[in-house]
Amino acid sequence: FNGEVFDNIRVRHRGQSSLGVSKKHWKVDFNKDHRFLTPFDNHPEVDNINIQSSYGDKSFLREWLSYKAWMDVDRPGLEMWHVRLYVNGTYRGLYINLENADQDWMDRTGLDQEGWLWKSYSEAKGGTGGFEMEEDAGNPAAANTALGTFISNMNTLTGQSLVDYINTNMNVDAFVDFLAIHQLIHNCDHPAKNYFVYADEDAPVGSWTYYGWDMDLTHGRNFECAGGGVYNDTIRSDMFNDPQLLFAT
């Protein structure tokens, strides 16, 4: 890149449902002592990059616009930039590089690197099995215990006890922004999964909050249960006739 050779690196396909399509996501892992400098000003070097295929979004813009919305309101979001991918000199198509949510990202966005960060594949109705640890500050057992306690209290407390617990333990302003941004970009894919959970290990009180992840089903796109699944061309534009409706899905 820019005349610099990166050798002995690891390249693989990444994702879940995307592994079954012809245009797959890629992940490149660099060596810790020879990191990659991204094209952004004042951006740290990174030890891996994620290359999104945008197979389900013909505009190549939904993810980019969605993550940018987080940064536009001064909340941690993932940087993206469009790239042309070549493999052994053969053009493979237009892709989008997606910043990895790790300690480099936490450092860039001002989150405490001693904090805990999870990626969720869960409705969080109980237990921690649906949460993938991204960063644990070297204490995964304490992180898992703290997350389990938080999920349990959020599911069992009621009334004023729940309100008091939320106000004490959560970053309420950040969570209000979380809900507002998802409404703005019309993200129907997050109510049951696809979000980050963060808490500061040194001060978990008042630090629990949520950030966006997996932004392809936004701006009118949804998982079409009646047919087409995640890879469909349906654009929903008439879903807000009910003024009380928060998420239409």
Side-chain angles (χ1 to χ4, degrees):
F1 179 73
N2 283 344
E4 185 175 3
V5 176
F6 296 85
D7 59 353
N8 294 313
I9 63 174
R10 182 183 186 224
V11 181
R12 64 177 175 87
H13 292 307
R14 57 177 291 273
Q16 291 181 307
S17 59
S18 61
L19 294 175
V21 302
S22 55
K23 187 182 181 185
K24 298 176 175 58
H25 303 318
W26 296 72
K27 189 177 190 72
V28 181
D29 291 316
F30 298 93
N31 293 302
K32 299 291 185 181
D33 59 353
H34 189 187
R35 290 151 58 87
F36 179 79
L37 182 62
T38 69
F40 289 99
D41 293 335
N42 301 317
H43 199 280
E45 293 181 329
V46 297
D47 56 25
N48 59 63
I49 57 176
N50 300 317
I51 304 175
Q52 304 288 95
S53 70
S54 198
Y55 185 84
D57 177 18
K58 293 178 175 62
S59 73
F60 287 85
L61 285 173
R62 282 180 170 82
E63 287 183 290
W64 184 85
L65 289 169
S66 297
Y67 285 117
K68 189 175 184 299
W70 292 86
M71 293 180 281
D72 284 346
V73 297
D74 201 28
R75 296 296 182 191
L78 300 173
E79 295 274 21
M80 301 193 78
W81 67 92
H82 292 81
V83 298
R84 297 182 299 273
L85 178 64
Y86 295 82
V87 179
N88 295 329
T90 301
Y91 178 64
R92 297 295 293 269
L94 178 65
Y95 287 71
I96 310 178
N97 186 88
L98 173 64
E99 183 179 12
N100 195 48
D102 56 13
Q103 283 200 340
D104 291 323
W105 174 71
M106 292 167 69
D107 181 53
R108 184 183 68 78
T109 56
L111 295 176
D112 191 335
Q113 289 195 42
E114 296 301 315
W116 297 314
L117 183 70
W118 296 267
K119 184 186 297 179
S120 173
Y121 302 96
S122 169
E123 293 181 341
K125 292 181 178 179
T128 60
F131 291 83
E132 177 183 296
M133 176 62 71
E134 301 295 296
E135 294 294 337
D136 62 20
N139 195 347
N144 192 64
T145 298
L147 178 63
T149 300
F150 177 70
I151 292 174
S152 176
N153 285 327
M154 292 295 287
N155 279 280
T156 58
L157 294 175
T158 59
Q160 191 61 44
S161 295
L162 177 60
V163 172
D164 292 343
Y165 183 81
I166 290 173
N167 286 331
T168 300
N169 291 275
M170 289 190 69
N171 182 335
V172 176
D173 289 343
F175 188 70
V176 170
D177 284 348
F178 173 86
L179 294 176
I181 293 169
H182 281 307
Q183 178 73 359
L184 175 67
I185 65 178
H186 188 196
N187 184 359
C188 286
D189 200 29
H190 99 276
K193 58 185 179 70
N194 290 336
Y195 52 87
F196 290 121
V197 180
Y198 169 82
D200 185 342
E201 180 182 18
D202 295 327
V205 174
S207 69
W208 289 93
T209 193
Y210 291 64
Y211 300 107
W213 166 250
D214 198 349
M215 299 289 183
D216 55 341
L217 295 182
T218 59
H219 298 85
R221 293 195 66 241
N222 199 350
F223 187 98
E224 299 299 332
C225 300
V230 67
Y231 300 113
N232 65 82
D233 291 323
T234 301
I235 302 298
R236 300 190 182 193
S237 58
D238 59 349
M239 304 175 71
F240 298 100
N241 294 329
D242 182 354
Q244 302 300 316
L245 192 62
L246 182 62
F247 283 102
T249 183

